[in-house]
Amino acid sequence: MLDDSDHDHQACRSRAVARAEERCRDEGLRLTEQRRQVLEAMLESHAPVSAYEIMDRIAGKARRPSPISVYRALDFLVAHRFAHRIESRNAFLACIEEHGHSASGPEAPLVFLLCENCGSATEAEPAELGRLLAGIAAAEGFSPSTSVLEVRGLCAACRSAGHRHDHSHSHS
């Protein structure tokens, strides 16, 4: 996880929830109590979590939700980019950044930097990658709907702590 002493995780969480509330209000979406609980459970860390881990986190504070209700909330949160699915880990990550939205074209590509040691995930939306991918797709006559790149390695905190890559480590 992030061990950066300068990181104010509570402020990070508050911003993400406030952004979700504001966008839902502006776009006429419903941030139900269940959806809010799922989002807040994901915001407990910067590491991707499975639906069952989300259920466990909620159960520590409130009535344990059913798997179907958590998956429905996740579908909503992912569809509206309040969360992202990390395919390689079959897990979900709360989105703490506002991404560019386009009603007429593909979403900007996202890059997830996944730490193999602590499990943290950092997201980026590099404009230069978007331009490069758009050019590649156009050259092939391809029309992308979404672009997500997952990069595995070590985060800055783990690198400075002297951890080494362990390529045998599995994230199931």
Side-chain angles (χ1 to χ4, degrees):
M1 318 277 175
L2 295 179
D3 288 330
D4 185 351
S5 59
D6 294 335
H7 180 71
D8 182 353
H9 190 66
Q10 186 55 44
C12 185
R13 291 173 63 176
S14 297
R15 263 193 331 273
V17 171
R19 182 178 62 82
E21 290 171 339
E22 181 181 349
R23 278 213 22 241
C24 284
R25 189 173 47 253
D26 292 350
E27 297 176 18
L29 304 170
R30 290 188 58 229
L31 185 62
T32 64
E33 185 58 32
Q34 181 73 59
R35 292 168 178 171
R36 177 188 297 278
Q37 282 182 330
V38 170
L39 179 61
E40 289 176 347
M42 284 188 290
L43 286 165
E44 289 180 16
S45 73
H46 288 288
V49 291
S50 72
Y52 285 89
E53 289 170 316
I54 292 168
M55 289 174 17
D56 291 343
R57 287 179 180 185
I58 293 171
K61 300 175 187 137
R63 184 172 166 268
R64 182 181 190 82
S66 68
I68 191 68
S69 64
V70 170
Y71 279 111
R72 283 184 183 143
L74 286 167
D75 286 346
F76 171 86
L77 295 169
V78 169
H80 297 286
R81 293 188 93 172
F82 299 125
H84 303 291
R85 184 160 191 263
I86 305 297
E87 299 288 337
S88 66
R89 295 186 183 175
N90 193 24
F92 300 87
L93 178 69
C95 180
I96 58 171
E97 301 295 331
E98 183 66 48
H99 298 290
H101 297 280
S102 171
S104 62
E107 298 172 340
L110 291 177
V111 176
F112 292 101
L113 305 173
L114 306 171
C115 183
E116 294 175 317
N117 183 64
C118 71
S120 69
T122 303
E123 64 181 274
E125 191 177 28
E128 60 275 13
L129 179 60
R131 288 188 293 275
L132 178 63
L133 290 175
I136 292 169
E140 297 297 325
F142 186 79
S143 178
S145 60
T146 187
S147 299
V148 177
L149 177 64
E150 298 179 13
V151 181
R152 291 184 193 91
L154 291 178
C155 68
C158 289
R159 285 184 59 227
S160 67
H163 292 280
R164 300 180 55 107
H165 283 281
D166 178 4
H167 297 290
S168 66
H169 191 243
S170 172
H171 295 283
S172 310

